Amino acid sequence: EKDGHDWFMRKEIFEQPRAVADSLLGRRTPAGLLHLDEMRLSDDELRDVTKIIIIACGTSFYAGMVAKYAIEHWTRTPVEVELASEFRYRDPILDYSTLVVAISQSGETADTLQAIRHARTQRSKVLAICNTNGSTIPRESDAVIYTHAGPEIGVASTKGFLTQLVACYLLALYVAQVKGTRYGDEITEIVHQLEEMPDHIATVLESAEQVYELARSHLDTRSVLFLGRHAGYPVALEGALKLKELAYIHAEGFAAGELKHGPIALIEEGMPVLCVVPPQGRDQLHEKMISGIQEVRARGARTICLAEEGDTKIEPYADVLIRLPKVPVLLQPLVAIVPLQLFACELATAMGHDVDQPRNLAKSVTVE
Ligand code: F6R
């Protein structure tokens, strides 16, 4: 049942190319338009949406953070992302023109469920992104995008996260199609890029051994920092969460630009800092990230950099370099998180921990 893997978690990490491919299947009409089965919101209803609020917990919340970058860029609709547990109790401003998007792998998370119930009392439409057919959250929503990760047994979310990202990209592109904020050709081009992602993820998995060796050389590590920018920022947060929950090591993710506003004080000689380097592009993201990496390295950090093939500018500043396939910046989380999952999984198992059932955690959190 574990397909020759020692843990469900490892099996699920290696299933990700298939899970992403399945989550993309059947989403296009013969005419090339995007089509989402259980969308159930009419084009008119979607055109009336003036604000999107994404609510979720944990890993699903980080998928929501990536979604904000994609939805705002492609649809020009303002997006807020909020932890479900905070949302309900702050008297959020909601009305019929607000679309609330609830992201939940299990579909049973109590905080997320209470949040959508509240949103519906305020006449907002609710769309669920969910991996579990017939679970409570999609049943209580106006529309659903099901992810097709298959059952996720490992308590820590891996393939669930990647397929949530896919659903978020599809939602963003669908809204762009309906609102006409992007041309059809452009949408088709991005869908093609998404369809290439399973191969790219498989490429990253082929170099698992490099990451495993790196992980095994960190058995005595007390603390690890993760840095990212733009869509790489939620990846840094998710990488840190994986390490906390599996290896019980103190780990924190930061937006690279925030370093100088405080966290850089944490850097000590030899401290590992995992850096998600954005693709080289026309904007200044890449250069800005490199200068952040230079700063931590100058203060003694050991920099472990995830950077795209062909990025030579990073080489002088990386103590360890893990290569990622060349993909567009908004889609990079789909490949960049994979080495971080492998790192946490291997480090935790090498320390003798049960990665399928980490201490103190439950697969679905049905109490608020
Ligand atoms: C972390 C993890 C949790 C869940 C969170 C939300 O690996 O699995 O942080 O992401 O409890 O769960 P769902 O998505 O089922 O609502």
Side-chain angles (χ1 to χ4, degrees):
E1 50 182 21
K2 293 180 195 155
D3 279 344
H5 291 285
D6 48 355
W7 301 94
F8 280 108
M9 183 187 177
R10 211 183 309 264
K11 167 179 174 258
E12 289 165 1
I13 292 174
F14 279 84
E15 270 172 9
Q16 292 181 123
R18 197 272 308 144
V20 166
D22 284 357
S23 298
L24 285 164
L25 268 185
R27 308 293 198 182
R28 279 199 282 164
T29 65
L33 287 178
L34 262 183
H35 162 80
L36 303 176
D37 276 350
E38 310 226 20
M39 170 44 83
R40 299 201 294 246
L41 294 175
S42 68
D43 288 1
D44 281 342
E45 283 172 315
L46 276 183
R47 272 191 287 265
D48 285 344
V49 169
T50 56
K51 181 173 78 174
I52 296 176
I53 303 183
I54 301 176
I55 46 173
C57 306
T59 293
S60 303
F61 174 74
Y62 300 141
M65 288 178 72
V66 175
K68 174 183 166 81
Y69 291 90
I71 298 173
E72 289 193 338
H73 183 67
W74 291 331
T75 77
R76 311 312 295 152
T77 310
V79 180
E80 291 170 28
V81 193
E82 188 152 358
L83 293 168
S85 53
E86 287 295 318
F87 172 79
R88 204 180 137 211
Y89 299 99
R90 72 170 169 87
D91 193 13
I93 301 168
L94 293 164
D95 63 21
Y96 70 93
S97 68
T98 310
L99 175 67
V100 171
V101 176
I103 308 179
S104 176
Q105 188 283 128
S106 63
E108 300 295 348
T109 300
D111 287 313
T112 312
L113 179 61
Q114 294 307 331
I116 68 167
R117 284 182 177 159
H118 177 72
R120 293 192 74 187
T121 65
Q122 308 295 300
R123 298 190 303 137
S124 296
K125 293 271 181 281
V126 175
L127 179 141
I129 292 178
C130 185
N131 192 46
T132 315
N133 258 290
S135 54
T136 313
I137 290 171
R139 277 206 320 260
E140 296 199 14
S141 298
D142 298 291
V144 195
I145 301 177
Y146 279 111
T147 50
H148 298 285
E152 195 177 55
I153 311 283
V155 162
S157 185
T158 54
K159 62 178 183 172
F161 178 65
L162 264 73
T163 58
Q164 286 168 344
L165 291 176
V166 169
C168 290
Y169 295 130
L170 291 171
L171 172 65
L173 294 169
Y174 187 78
V175 174
Q177 176 177 285
V178 171
K179 288 198 169 194
T181 50
R182 293 278 152 174
Y183 291 114
D185 296 355
E186 220 178 327
I187 294 173
T188 309
E189 167 67 19
I190 303 167
V191 174
H192 281 308
Q193 289 166 344
L194 275 172
E195 287 167 349
E196 288 169 3
M197 295 310 289
D199 286 342
H200 291 316
I201 297 163
T203 305
V204 178
L205 289 169
E206 278 162 24
S207 37
E209 199 47 49
Q210 182 201 0
V211 180
Y212 289 164
E213 270 174 41
L214 180 72
R216 292 191 294 261
S217 69
H218 282 81
L219 290 179
D220 299 325
T221 304
R222 300 299 314 137
S223 180
V224 182
L225 302 188
F226 291 74
L227 297 183
R229 273 193 98 101
H230 192 264
Y233 169 40
V235 174
L237 296 172
E238 169 63 2
L241 179 60
K242 290 285 95 89
L243 203 57
K244 288 178 222 186
E245 61 183 343
L246 299 167
Y248 320 140
I249 290 178
H250 172 252
E252 276 198 75
F254 295 106
E258 272 293 294
L259 273 176
K260 54 186 173 300
H261 300 290
I264 199 160
L266 287 170
I267 305 291
E268 291 173 355
E269 193 61 39
M271 178 182 270
V273 180
L274 276 133
C275 310
V276 183
V277 183
Q280 295 172 279
R282 274 163 299 179
D283 48 33
Q284 293 198 329
L285 269 184
H286 183 265
E287 287 83 273
K288 292 265 152 84
M289 184 71 200
I290 291 201
S291 72
I293 295 172
Q294 269 176 282
E295 277 168 35
V296 293
R297 201 160 180 271
R299 287 162 180 83
R302 186 159 178 273
T303 56
I304 301 164
C305 300
L306 314 185
E308 70 177 5
E309 273 321 322
D311 179 348
T312 49
K313 294 202 188 112
I314 188 70
E315 285 167 10
Y317 311 109
D319 292 305
V320 178
L321 189 51
I322 296 167
R323 287 299 186 180
L324 299 175
K326 256 178 143 47
V327 298
V329 65
L330 281 171
L331 305 188
Q332 201 198 34
L334 285 172
V335 288
I337 192 58
V338 176
L340 304 185
Q341 297 168 337
L342 291 167
F343 182 79
C345 182
E346 182 65 12
L347 182 48
T349 51
M351 291 169 94
H353 301 317
D354 178 338
V355 286
D356 288 342
Q357 295 281 336
R359 69 182 183 203
N360 309 340
L361 296 177
K363 184 63 185 163
S364 64
V365 185
T366 52
V367 289
E368 267 190 81

